[in-house]
Amino acid sequence: MTKINGNIGGIRQSVLSKMEGMYDMHCHSSEFISAELVETMCEYTGLLGHEISVYIGRDGRIKDVSIGDANTVSMPNMRLVRNIDRLCGVRCIHTHPNGDGRPSGVDLGTLRSMRLDCMASIGVRDGKPAGIYCAFLGELVESERSVTVYGPYGLSRLPHSLLVNEIYNVDDMLKSGTKEVVQARKERAILVGIENSEDYDTLDELAELAATAGAEVVGRSCQRKRSVDNATYIGSGKADELKLMGSELEADLFIFDDELSAIQIKNLENILGAFVIDRTTLILDIFASRAQSKEGRLQVELAQLKYRLPRLLGQGRSMSRLGGGIGTRGPGEKKLEIDRRRISRRIFELEQELGEIEKQRSLRRERRNANTIPLVSLVGYTNAGKSTLLNALSGSSVLAEDMLFATLDTVVRQIQLNDKTSVLLSDTVGFINKLPHELVKAFRSTLEEVAQADVILHVVDCTSDYYETQMKVVEDVLASLGVSHTPVINVYNKCDRLEEPFAYGKGDFVCTSALNGAGLDNLLAKISEILQNRKVSVELVVPYSKYDTMNLIRSEAVIITEEHDESGTKITALVDKESLWKIKKALGDA
């Protein structure tokens, strides 16, 4: 490669042709950089007012010559060896047109992330070198590489032997047993979003999602932009800024707060030179790592494939990633690399399997309805405390952690209310703002358990600054499931963390602390009250001659007590008024 790369717009072809001569300026194996090459770089920097960067291999040959702007280090599209226990074998020498040769944060971040042999920066004044600095990787300090900087040096006093030897010393240090520590490093993520009119910081929530997925958030960027850019989501100028930020912070991936199209992903990865995922991919990745049941895993895989199918164009970097990482879990790389026809076939197979599971679920639901035990469903925003509340009410030990999406698979437990009535309590997957559409569709059969509920407990984290917005998210999902007619109790949880009593709930509400048990008796009483208002308590005697009426009673009522004597079967039951009329008619009492 002998062409000049980088920011060459507006530069005369004659100048570029002359600059190509730098590819012939080989350095001796014992020479860090030749004086001729330094003087030529400074001359063109003074002429163009742009940074000039040169990448030199250990054999002294020039591998790339690039032009940046006045402030940025230019990264060429070279295939650099990036072993975690070795240097890449290439050193970068670049100029600073402002005269200050000290390495910038972007310089040092690029040194670390690319594992360059050395990052050398040359201050340029009036087309002449004004001080040379050379930065090398150092020891691990709290899981991050330190940097050793030598300089400033004058061109005539550049210690070539010391600098060349330092490259090999650092390489030997990296080979001396730090591999395991480096491999354990979390993926470093930068969050990117666009400001909205909502009084809700979605980037805070995105940071929690990233932490849940196992990433370390090292930076954030929120763009003030009225409309989304169709090509890059944030605009090319902002994308260039993000590239610098990524180099300085050694970011492994960028996480965008909204769904990205295939072309946006492709364009952003080309500009940023790093892996790009969106909020939906992140949520799907968390679901893939948390799903335990067969149904849950199938649902997540279906959602992932349906979401990725139209985005195959933008999956170039993700499909080439070896060893996995955030955004690649679930179906696996093999499924991501197959063609559209095979993905479509896999989607068909998953839908067939889930259809069979749904049939089994419907049979279980019918058997449960035949037992006429009321069903109470827990719903709410993720991490509101639903599983902790289930454990507190039932005495079970369902996984309950202070993290997003700790529960994915539906859990059902039987509990007794204060009036000794038995009810089934079901825990469901938590909701979240911008919940992926494909995920809602995939989990619809599971969420339909909510539609069968007699009472819904909407669990709310009242300590959240955005609990009202979170409630609206849950209410919108419930409305889409067609459960507007079902009685809802708003359970304002975690009240023990509030300095003052919570007194601003809406509708039927109860304040609780699932952690210490406060307010649980009031909650059970509220459930009993709603169930009793919907049903009346009756005492019936069913003669043995009409014992087939018991089938009707079991399907229409909740039997509390059942005794047998010579007159027939005496029962106490809770029943709707309409159903009571049917039962009395069957008994001949209507």
Side-chain angles (χ1 to χ4, degrees):
M1 179 174 63
T2 59
K3 69 175 183 177
I4 306 301
N5 298 297
N7 184 18
I8 61 175
I11 299 176
R12 294 194 303 272
Q13 185 58 48
S14 59
V15 175
L16 295 175
S17 297
K18 289 181 181 179
M19 289 182 66
E20 290 174 0
M22 283 191 281
Y23 281 101
D24 298 325
M25 298 180 183
H26 299 167
C27 301
H28 191 272
S29 59
S30 62
E31 190 177 40
F32 183 77
I33 185 173
S34 68
E36 181 187 14
L37 182 56
V38 171
E39 291 170 348
T40 302
M41 291 173 64
C42 293
E43 179 185 346
Y44 283 116
T45 297
L47 174 66
L48 302 175
H50 288 254
E51 171 199 286
I52 306 296
S53 62
V54 171
Y55 287 77
I56 306 174
R58 292 188 188 174
D59 59 0
R61 294 180 180 275
I62 309 298
K63 292 185 173 292
D64 180 88
V65 179
S66 295
I67 300 175
D69 59 27
N71 303 296
T72 63
V73 60
S74 177
M75 291 300 302
N77 294 320
M78 296 189 303
R79 294 185 177 274
L80 299 181
V81 179
R82 298 179 66 184
N83 296 329
I84 62 171
D85 59 341
R86 295 294 299 273
L87 295 176
C88 73
V90 174
R91 58 188 179 268
C92 175
I93 319 293
H94 70 288
T95 58
H96 285 183
N98 59 8
D100 186 353
R102 290 174 297 179
S104 66
V106 175
D107 294 341
L108 300 182
T110 303
L111 170 68
R112 290 192 185 100
S113 62
M114 299 300 296
R115 295 195 171 273
L116 295 169
D117 283 3
C118 175
M119 174 64 80
S121 48
I122 307 170
V124 179
R125 289 195 185 96
D126 301 323
K128 303 292 182 181
I132 301 174
Y133 293 81
C134 300
F136 297 87
L137 289 178
E139 297 285 348
L140 271 176
V141 179
E142 296 182 354
S143 77
E144 184 173 282
R145 286 281 166 200
S146 62
V147 173
T148 302
V149 180
Y150 295 92
Y153 297 114
L155 181 57
S156 61
R157 296 190 177 184
L158 199 64
H160 294 278
S161 296
L162 182 149
L163 298 175
V164 171
N165 288 336
E166 185 66 8
I167 292 174
Y168 292 98
N169 291 338
V170 174
D171 214 15
D172 290 339
M173 176 191 67
L174 291 177
K175 291 187 293 183
S176 64
T178 60
K179 179 177 181 178
E180 184 176 346
V181 176
V182 177
Q183 281 182 322
R185 191 193 81 166
K186 292 182 178 180
E187 289 188 88
R188 297 168 65 86
I190 292 178
L191 311 182
V192 186
I194 290 181
E195 287 187 356
N196 54 53
S197 57
E198 297 180 16
D199 183 22
Y200 186 40
D201 188 353
T202 56
L203 281 190
D204 275 348
E205 188 172 80
L206 190 64
E208 289 187 62
L209 287 168
T212 300
E216 177 187 0
V217 176
V218 296
R220 301 185 183 196
S221 176
C222 195
Q223 168 78 331
R224 292 186 178 182
K225 195 173 180 66
R226 292 184 179 180
S227 59
V228 172
D229 185 82
N230 292 331
T232 61
Y233 177 77
I234 51 174
S236 57
K238 188 66 175 180
D240 289 335
E241 291 180 22
L242 282 178
K243 180 180 179 180
L244 291 177
M245 184 186 229
S247 295
E248 182 172 356
L249 300 177
E250 303 173 67
D252 301 301
L253 74 159
F254 291 82
I255 305 176
F256 285 72
D257 196 33
D258 290 300
E259 287 190 6
L260 299 176
S261 67
I263 194 65
Q264 286 172 334
I265 293 173
K266 182 177 181 181
N267 290 339
L268 285 167
E269 288 189 340
N270 288 339
I271 295 172
L272 301 176
F275 189 46
V276 172
I277 64 174
D278 57 19
R279 183 187 183 95
T280 298
T281 302
L282 180 62
I283 293 174
L284 290 172
D285 183 86
I286 294 171
F287 272 60
S289 65
R290 293 287 175 78
Q292 299 296 321
S293 68
K294 177 182 178 181
E295 182 181 16
R297 291 194 297 270
L298 292 176
Q299 287 169 325
V300 173
E301 183 178 351
L302 177 62
Q304 284 183 306
L305 290 177
K306 282 190 171 181
Y307 185 70
R308 291 176 181 175
L309 181 59
R311 290 171 172 78
L312 290 179
L313 174 65
Q315 294 290 337
R317 287 183 179 271
S318 63
M319 288 193 291
S320 64
R321 291 183 90 193
L322 298 179
I326 296 174
T328 65
R329 290 183 283 241
E333 288 185 322
K334 181 178 179 181
K335 289 186 178 66
L336 294 179
E337 292 173 342
I338 60 179
D339 59 23
R340 292 178 183 272
R341 188 189 310 176
R342 293 191 62 191
I343 293 179
S344 298
R345 178 161 185 81
R346 180 58 181 159
I347 289 173
F348 174 77
E349 293 170 352
L350 289 170
E351 289 175 337
Q352 293 294 106
E353 288 188 69
L354 287 170
E356 291 299 317
I357 293 176
E358 173 56 21
K359 289 179 182 178
Q360 298 171 16
R361 180 188 294 279
S362 298
L363 291 174
R364 290 196 300 269
R365 190 182 297 149
E366 289 176 6
R367 286 197 295 269
R368 189 171 65 219
N369 291 339
N371 293 330
T372 63
I373 300 178
L375 175 63
V376 178
S377 283
L378 291 164
V379 302
Y381 210 76
T382 181
N383 206 30
K386 298 183 297 300
S387 296
T388 306
L389 184 60
L390 175 76
N391 290 337
L393 292 174
S394 65
S396 58
S397 56
V398 173
L399 175 66
E401 297 185 25
D402 185 16
M403 63 172 61
L404 304 185
F405 300 119
T407 301
L408 291 186
D409 301 308
T410 301
V411 179
V412 180
R413 296 289 184 269
Q414 185 167 320
I415 65 171
Q416 273 197 336
L417 302 179
N418 297 339
D419 60 2
K420 305 302 181 182
T421 301
S422 293
V423 299
L424 294 177
L425 187 64
S426 73
D427 189 11
T428 57
V429 62
F431 304 136
I432 197 168
N433 197 21
K434 305 177 185 177
L435 189 66
H437 178 67
E438 293 297 346
L439 203 56
V440 174
K441 288 175 62 178
F443 276 76
R444 178 164 291 277
S445 61
T446 305
L447 295 174
E448 281 176 355
E449 291 285 325
V450 178
Q452 304 297 319
D454 297 284
V455 179
I456 294 174
L457 303 184
H458 181 177
V459 184
V460 181
D461 177 5
C462 63
T463 65
S464 171
D465 294 333
Y466 310 110
Y467 76 87
E468 291 178 323
T469 302
Q470 294 174 353
M471 289 182 72
K472 180 66 167 55
V473 169
V474 176
E475 289 165 357
D476 288 345
V477 176
L478 292 178
S480 70
L481 295 173
V483 295
S484 56
H485 62 284
T486 306
V488 176
I489 301 174
N490 292 317
V491 183
Y492 293 91
N493 194 32
K494 306 183 184 181
C495 285
D496 56 313
R497 299 184 185 178
L498 298 177
E499 295 181 359
E500 299 180 1
F502 187 86
Y504 302 100
K506 62 180 181 178
D508 283 324
F509 76 94
V510 177
C511 294
T512 65
S513 170
L515 204 57
N516 64 27
L520 296 188
D521 286 340
N522 292 337
L523 176 59
L524 292 174
K526 180 69 73 172
I527 296 172
S528 296
E529 178 186 338
I530 290 178
L531 289 176
Q532 289 173 2
N533 287 340
R534 297 190 69 191
K535 300 178 183 294
V536 295
S537 178
V538 296
E539 294 182 357
L540 299 170
V541 177
V542 181
Y544 291 118
S545 60
K546 296 186 177 181
Y547 195 75
D548 58 342
T549 308
M550 287 298 297
N551 292 329
L552 175 64
I553 295 173
R554 294 186 194 282
S555 65
E556 298 285 344
V558 178
I559 298 177
I560 299 175
T561 63
E562 182 176 341
E563 297 178 359
H564 302 275
D565 60 19
E566 65 277 0
S567 62
T569 302
K570 295 181 178 180
I571 64 171
T572 303
L574 292 174
V575 59
D576 293 327
K577 294 179 180 180
E578 182 179 344
S579 298
L580 179 60
W581 181 85
K582 294 180 184 178
I583 294 170
K584 287 187 174 182
K585 183 177 180 181
L587 292 173
D589 295 336

Short mmCIF file of all heavy atoms in Angstrom, two decimals, residues 28-33 91 134 136 150 153 156-170:
data_model
loop_
_atom_site.label_atom_id
_atom_site.label_comp_id
_atom_site.label_asym_id
_atom_site.label_seq_id
_atom_site.Cartn_x
_atom_site.Cartn_y
_atom_site.Cartn_z
N HIS A 28 16.54 2.04 9.68
CA HIS A 28 17.41 0.92 10.04
C HIS A 28 16.84 0.20 11.25
O HIS A 28 16.12 0.80 12.08
CB HIS A 28 18.82 1.44 10.34
CG HIS A 28 19.85 0.36 10.47
ND1 HIS A 28 20.10 -0.26 11.67
CD2 HIS A 28 20.66 -0.21 9.54
CE1 HIS A 28 21.04 -1.18 11.48
NE2 HIS A 28 21.40 -1.17 10.19
N SER A 29 17.14 -1.08 11.39
CA SER A 29 16.56 -1.88 12.48
C SER A 29 16.92 -1.31 13.86
O SER A 29 16.17 -1.49 14.82
CB SER A 29 17.02 -3.33 12.37
OG SER A 29 18.44 -3.41 12.43
N SER A 30 18.05 -0.62 13.98
CA SER A 30 18.45 -0.03 15.27
C SER A 30 18.02 1.42 15.39
O SER A 30 18.35 2.08 16.38
CB SER A 30 19.97 -0.14 15.43
OG SER A 30 20.62 0.60 14.40
N GLU A 31 17.31 1.92 14.39
CA GLU A 31 16.90 3.33 14.34
C GLU A 31 15.41 3.44 14.65
O GLU A 31 14.57 2.79 14.02
CB GLU A 31 17.20 3.88 12.95
CG GLU A 31 17.05 5.38 12.81
CD GLU A 31 17.44 5.84 11.43
OE1 GLU A 31 17.11 5.13 10.44
OE2 GLU A 31 18.09 6.88 11.31
N PHE A 32 15.06 4.26 15.64
CA PHE A 32 13.66 4.41 16.01
C PHE A 32 12.88 5.10 14.90
O PHE A 32 11.80 4.67 14.50
CB PHE A 32 13.53 5.19 17.32
CG PHE A 32 12.12 5.32 17.80
CD1 PHE A 32 11.46 4.26 18.41
CD2 PHE A 32 11.43 6.52 17.64
CE1 PHE A 32 10.15 4.39 18.85
CE2 PHE A 32 10.12 6.66 18.08
CZ PHE A 32 9.48 5.59 18.68
N ILE A 33 13.41 6.21 14.38
CA ILE A 33 12.85 6.91 13.23
C ILE A 33 13.96 7.76 12.62
O ILE A 33 14.78 8.33 13.35
CB ILE A 33 11.63 7.78 13.61
CG1 ILE A 33 11.01 8.39 12.35
CG2 ILE A 33 11.99 8.83 14.63
CD1 ILE A 33 9.70 9.13 12.61
N ARG A 91 4.72 0.74 15.34
CA ARG A 91 4.77 1.96 16.13
C ARG A 91 4.21 3.12 15.32
O ARG A 91 4.38 3.18 14.10
CB ARG A 91 6.18 2.26 16.61
CG ARG A 91 7.25 2.41 15.52
CD ARG A 91 8.62 2.52 16.18
NE ARG A 91 9.73 2.65 15.24
CZ ARG A 91 10.43 1.61 14.76
NH1 ARG A 91 10.07 0.38 15.09
NH2 ARG A 91 11.46 1.81 13.95
N CYS A 134 7.73 10.01 23.41
CA CYS A 134 7.51 8.60 23.05
C CYS A 134 6.81 7.89 24.22
O CYS A 134 7.36 7.86 25.33
CB CYS A 134 8.82 7.90 22.73
SG CYS A 134 9.71 8.65 21.34
N PHE A 136 5.04 4.44 25.92
CA PHE A 136 5.04 2.98 25.88
C PHE A 136 4.08 2.44 26.94
O PHE A 136 3.87 3.09 27.98
CB PHE A 136 6.44 2.43 26.16
CG PHE A 136 7.48 2.82 25.15
CD1 PHE A 136 8.18 4.01 25.28
CD2 PHE A 136 7.77 2.00 24.07
CE1 PHE A 136 9.15 4.38 24.36
CE2 PHE A 136 8.73 2.36 23.13
CZ PHE A 136 9.42 3.55 23.28
N TYR A 150 8.53 9.06 27.53
CA TYR A 150 9.89 9.59 27.47
C TYR A 150 9.89 10.88 26.66
O TYR A 150 9.20 10.99 25.66
CB TYR A 150 10.83 8.57 26.81
CG TYR A 150 11.02 7.28 27.59
CD1 TYR A 150 10.19 6.20 27.33
CD2 TYR A 150 12.01 7.17 28.54
CE1 TYR A 150 10.36 5.01 28.03
CE2 TYR A 150 12.20 5.98 29.25
CZ TYR A 150 11.37 4.91 28.99
OH TYR A 150 11.53 3.73 29.68
N TYR A 153 12.46 15.11 23.48
CA TYR A 153 13.78 14.98 22.88
C TYR A 153 13.90 15.91 21.67
O TYR A 153 12.93 16.10 20.93
CB TYR A 153 14.03 13.54 22.40
CG TYR A 153 14.03 12.50 23.49
CD1 TYR A 153 13.04 11.52 23.53
CD2 TYR A 153 15.03 12.48 24.47
CE1 TYR A 153 13.04 10.54 24.51
CE2 TYR A 153 15.04 11.51 25.46
CZ TYR A 153 14.04 10.54 25.48
OH TYR A 153 14.05 9.58 26.46
N SER A 156 18.15 15.74 17.14
CA SER A 156 19.56 15.32 17.11
C SER A 156 19.95 14.49 18.33
O SER A 156 21.00 13.84 18.32
CB SER A 156 20.47 16.55 17.02
OG SER A 156 20.29 17.39 18.15
N ARG A 157 19.12 14.50 19.37
CA ARG A 157 19.46 13.76 20.60
C ARG A 157 18.46 12.63 20.87
O ARG A 157 18.29 12.22 22.01
CB ARG A 157 19.49 14.72 21.78
CG ARG A 157 20.59 15.76 21.66
CD ARG A 157 20.76 16.53 22.95
NE ARG A 157 21.87 17.47 22.85
CZ ARG A 157 22.30 18.23 23.87
NH1 ARG A 157 21.70 18.14 25.05
NH2 ARG A 157 23.31 19.05 23.70
N LEU A 158 17.84 12.14 19.87
CA LEU A 158 16.87 11.05 20.03
C LEU A 158 17.61 9.76 20.38
O LEU A 158 18.47 9.31 19.61
CB LEU A 158 16.08 10.88 18.72
CG LEU A 158 14.76 10.12 18.80
CD1 LEU A 158 13.75 10.85 19.67
CD2 LEU A 158 14.18 9.93 17.39
N PRO A 159 17.32 9.14 21.56
CA PRO A 159 18.04 7.92 21.98
C PRO A 159 17.48 6.68 21.28
O PRO A 159 16.67 5.94 21.84
CB PRO A 159 17.78 7.87 23.49
CG PRO A 159 16.45 8.54 23.66
CD PRO A 159 16.37 9.59 22.59
N HIS A 160 17.92 6.45 20.06
CA HIS A 160 17.35 5.38 19.23
C HIS A 160 17.44 4.02 19.91
O HIS A 160 16.46 3.27 19.95
CB HIS A 160 18.06 5.35 17.87
CG HIS A 160 17.82 6.56 17.04
ND1 HIS A 160 16.70 6.72 16.27
CD2 HIS A 160 18.57 7.69 16.86
CE1 HIS A 160 16.76 7.88 15.64
NE2 HIS A 160 17.89 8.51 15.98
N SER A 161 18.60 3.65 20.43
CA SER A 161 18.78 2.33 21.03
C SER A 161 17.84 2.13 22.22
O SER A 161 17.21 1.08 22.38
CB SER A 161 20.23 2.13 21.46
OG SER A 161 21.09 2.15 20.34
N LEU A 162 17.74 3.15 23.07
CA LEU A 162 16.87 3.06 24.25
C LEU A 162 15.42 2.83 23.83
O LEU A 162 14.72 1.98 24.40
CB LEU A 162 16.99 4.34 25.09
CG LEU A 162 16.18 4.41 26.38
CD1 LEU A 162 16.89 5.27 27.42
CD2 LEU A 162 14.77 4.99 26.16
N LEU A 163 14.96 3.57 22.83
CA LEU A 163 13.57 3.49 22.42
C LEU A 163 13.26 2.16 21.73
O LEU A 163 12.21 1.55 21.97
CB LEU A 163 13.23 4.66 21.48
CG LEU A 163 13.37 6.06 22.12
CD1 LEU A 163 13.11 7.14 21.06
CD2 LEU A 163 12.41 6.22 23.29
N VAL A 164 14.18 1.70 20.88
CA VAL A 164 13.96 0.40 20.22
C VAL A 164 13.97 -0.72 21.24
O VAL A 164 13.14 -1.63 21.20
CB VAL A 164 15.03 0.18 19.12
CG1 VAL A 164 14.94 -1.26 18.60
CG2 VAL A 164 14.86 1.17 17.98
N ASN A 165 14.93 -0.66 22.19
CA ASN A 165 15.00 -1.70 23.22
C ASN A 165 13.75 -1.70 24.10
O ASN A 165 13.31 -2.76 24.57
CB ASN A 165 16.25 -1.51 24.10
CG ASN A 165 17.52 -1.86 23.36
OD1 ASN A 165 17.50 -2.63 22.40
ND2 ASN A 165 18.64 -1.27 23.79
N GLU A 166 13.19 -0.52 24.33
CA GLU A 166 11.99 -0.43 25.18
C GLU A 166 10.82 -1.19 24.55
O GLU A 166 10.00 -1.78 25.26
CB GLU A 166 11.62 1.05 25.40
CG GLU A 166 10.47 1.26 26.37
CD GLU A 166 10.79 0.84 27.80
OE1 GLU A 166 11.96 0.53 28.10
OE2 GLU A 166 9.85 0.82 28.62
N ILE A 167 10.76 -1.18 23.22
CA ILE A 167 9.69 -1.93 22.53
C ILE A 167 9.78 -3.40 22.91
O ILE A 167 8.78 -4.03 23.28
CB ILE A 167 9.80 -1.75 21.01
CG1 ILE A 167 9.47 -0.31 20.61
CG2 ILE A 167 8.86 -2.72 20.29
CD1 ILE A 167 9.70 -0.01 19.14
N TYR A 168 10.99 -3.96 22.85
CA TYR A 168 11.16 -5.38 23.14
C TYR A 168 11.00 -5.67 24.64
O TYR A 168 10.52 -6.74 25.02
CB TYR A 168 12.51 -5.86 22.63
CG TYR A 168 12.59 -5.83 21.12
CD1 TYR A 168 13.19 -4.77 20.45
CD2 TYR A 168 12.03 -6.87 20.36
CE1 TYR A 168 13.24 -4.74 19.05
CE2 TYR A 168 12.08 -6.84 18.97
CZ TYR A 168 12.68 -5.78 18.33
OH TYR A 168 12.72 -5.75 16.95
N ASN A 169 11.37 -4.71 25.50
CA ASN A 169 11.18 -4.89 26.93
C ASN A 169 9.70 -4.97 27.29
O ASN A 169 9.28 -5.81 28.09
CB ASN A 169 11.83 -3.73 27.70
CG ASN A 169 13.34 -3.77 27.62
OD1 ASN A 169 13.93 -4.82 27.37
ND2 ASN A 169 13.98 -2.61 27.83
N VAL A 170 8.91 -4.08 26.67
CA VAL A 170 7.46 -4.09 26.93
C VAL A 170 6.85 -5.38 26.40
O VAL A 170 5.99 -5.99 27.04
CB VAL A 170 6.78 -2.86 26.29
CG1 VAL A 170 5.27 -2.96 26.42
CG2 VAL A 170 7.28 -1.58 26.94
#
